[in-house]
Amino acid sequence: MTASETTAPETRPLMAARTFPPDFLWGTATAAYQIEGAAREGGRTPSIWDTFSHTPGKVFEGHTGDVAVDHYHRYPEDIRLMSELGLGAYRFSVSWSRVQPTGRGPAVQKGLDFYRRLVDELLAAGIEPALTLYHWDLPQELEDAGGWPERATAGRFAEYAGFVADALGDRVKLWTTLNEPWCSAFLGYGSGVHAPGRTDPVAALRAAHHLNLAHGLAVQALRAALPGDALVAVSLNLHEVRPLTPSAEDRDAARRIDAVGNRIWLGPMLEGAYPQDLFADTAHLTDWSFVHDGDAAAIHRPLDRLALNYYTPTVVSHVPNGGQKPQDDGHGNSEHSPWPGADEVAFHRAPGERTAMGWPVDPNALYDLLTRTAARHPALPLIVSENGAAYEDETGPDGTVHDPERAAYVHAHLDAVHRAIVDGVDVRGYFLWSLLDNFEWAYGYAKRFGVIHVDHDTLERTPKSSARWYGAVARTGELRAPGAA
């Protein structure tokens, strides 16, 4: 498929309801550093995002997650809002440095107790907890020791996974090892737009391998500690890559991005080996000697779910070395590329409607991603673990926040999920990003993804109109267009 081609949506009346399976999981998602705050409470030590956000020039207007939206203290209110909306699940992440300060030594009970209280309150409200072990907040002391480019970090992560599983395994069923390891490796160590802000392509590739290894070792640790009915997953932001034109050169550009964006994870995690073309593409950078005998088996552990995060497609073309090339990949501005081995690849944004992030709106690409992934791994059920949009939300004179653009975005993407299910794809759930307006990484508090508005001065929560609409979808399992009776 090229950028000029799209998957034609099934012709169905816009206002007609689409009914999802009765056991479909409806939820919202967040991440610890983006919402918790309480950065210095309960024994928590700094993570790489504490350090990065406090480094001048790294985050919009010097914003930090020190307080974020204070979910650490306000979680009962946030759970009450979820319950009032009728949401059935909540995907959250655990702060590694809150549970195991510095990434070494025994677990801290104060940190684990916070997550015990959170999970207990979710269960009391009838909301299924979905736990992510790592959403980018590596303890700073582990980064000081080399971070993800160092092999030892993978072993540390497995130890931490065991601590959390021992504490919460009796009450959490759905576990995710890593969230978007592509961002951790290539935005954190390649382009430097995310913490820890390093710009070394070889370090980025080393980080990618050790994240893969950490995933495999963590799966092993979780299986040893969790009940037999627990579900173990990984959450990947797979890129729906499209060549700008049908030319052989543009198709090869798409192949390169598929290798370093997608198959660098899918290969070792699900198939037991890295793709050979990835090795060839990056041979001028590294001989991959950091991959040791036995690593493939350690990484390739059976999973119960594959979770996918999707926001926008990736459009690429070939540009000869030294030629003028746009780098509009939607992943922030940097002189350094997050795509090692793709020096002759240019990135383009598709025409049409865009969100406040500047990302093109293309729900057909989500359908394509789900169907393509299911075709390659038909026995593995899928979950959409993140999907959503930032818009310029404004509070009305009466205190309400009306966001029809977000509701339309989510409706279109849920329609794509439903089409995939009708066409035989085994999709088990959908988590809307995000529950709350929060700290949006390098964008600070400038971008709002939440279905619940947060006044960043008072921290007052106000459900937006999209929250009420999405709650009705979650309660009924029927997707109706916003405004439909």
Side-chain angles (χ1 to χ4, degrees), residues 341-378:
D343 293 340
E344 296 184 358
V345 176
F347 293 82
H348 311 263
R349 293 199 194 183
E353 179 188 352
R354 299 188 182 190
T355 70
M357 296 291 289
W359 296 344
V361 177
D362 188 349
N364 287 328
L366 175 57
Y367 172 88
D368 293 341
L369 177 63
L370 292 170
T371 54
R372 177 173 57 82
T373 305
R376 184 158 183 167
H377 305 285

Side-chain angles (χ1 to χ4, degrees), residues 263-281:
R263 288 180 287 121
I264 193 172
W265 316 109
L266 295 173
M269 288 183 182
L270 301 186
E271 299 168 11
Y274 283 102
Q276 290 300 310
D277 59 329
L278 173 66
F279 290 160
D281 292 344

Side-chain angles (χ1 to χ4, degrees), residues 9-253:
E10 181 181 331
T11 302
R12 299 184 289 184
L14 178 64
M15 305 301 281
R18 286 78 156 121
T19 301
F20 282 75
D23 57 351
F24 193 81
L25 201 57
W26 296 97
T28 56
T30 63
Y33 188 73
Q34 294 183 271
I35 65 167
E36 283 183 2
R40 299 172 184 85
E41 294 187 38
R44 182 186 181 277
T45 56
S47 75
I48 54 176
W49 269 98
D50 293 277
T51 303
F52 190 80
S53 66
H54 280 269
T55 302
K58 296 297 186 181
V59 174
F60 177 78
E61 293 191 351
H63 295 171
T64 76
D66 289 1
V67 176
V69 297
D70 199 27
H71 178 74
Y72 185 85
H73 297 109
R74 295 170 180 254
Y75 71 90
E77 176 186 0
D78 294 335
I79 293 172
R80 177 181 57 79
L81 289 168
M82 283 186 261
S83 179
E84 290 175 356
L85 292 173
L87 303 181
Y90 174 54
R91 177 176 176 248
F92 65 96
S93 77
V94 173
S95 166
W96 187 347
S97 57
R98 192 180 298 285
V99 165
Q100 190 189 29
T102 77
R104 294 181 173 87
V108 170
Q109 291 307 309
K110 284 185 179 179
L112 289 172
D113 283 346
F114 166 69
Y115 296 105
R116 290 186 178 104
R117 294 192 302 271
L118 173 68
V119 168
D120 286 348
E121 190 124 357
L122 286 167
L123 293 172
I127 298 170
E128 182 174 337
L131 187 152
T132 299
L133 286 166
Y134 187 73
H135 200 129
W136 308 352
D137 48 356
L138 184 72
Q140 181 59 44
E141 286 204 17
L142 292 186
E143 172 60 23
D144 293 342
W148 285 113
E150 291 300 316
R151 186 178 185 86
T153 307
R156 296 289 183 190
F157 181 69
E159 181 183 52
Y160 153 69
F163 289 149
V164 181
D166 287 341
L168 298 173
D170 62 338
R171 61 198 90 178
V172 175
K173 184 176 181 180
L174 180 56
W175 293 73
T176 299
T177 55
L178 306 173
N179 178 79
E180 298 186 354
W182 183 88
C183 295
S184 297
F186 296 111
L187 300 184
Y189 294 92
S191 67
V193 298
H194 278 191
R198 291 162 62 178
T199 56
D200 180 345
V202 177
L205 291 168
R206 290 175 61 92
H209 175 64
H210 295 137
L211 283 156
N212 273 325
L213 183 60
H215 158 79
L217 295 176
V219 171
Q220 184 179 22
L222 292 175
R223 297 292 190 200
L226 295 176
D229 63 347
L231 303 174
V232 179
V234 66
S235 184
L236 304 177
N237 58 320
L238 297 182
H239 301 78
E240 182 56 30
V241 187
R242 293 173 172 170
L244 184 66
T245 75
S247 72
E249 292 83 3
D250 285 1
R251 289 186 180 276
D252 187 65

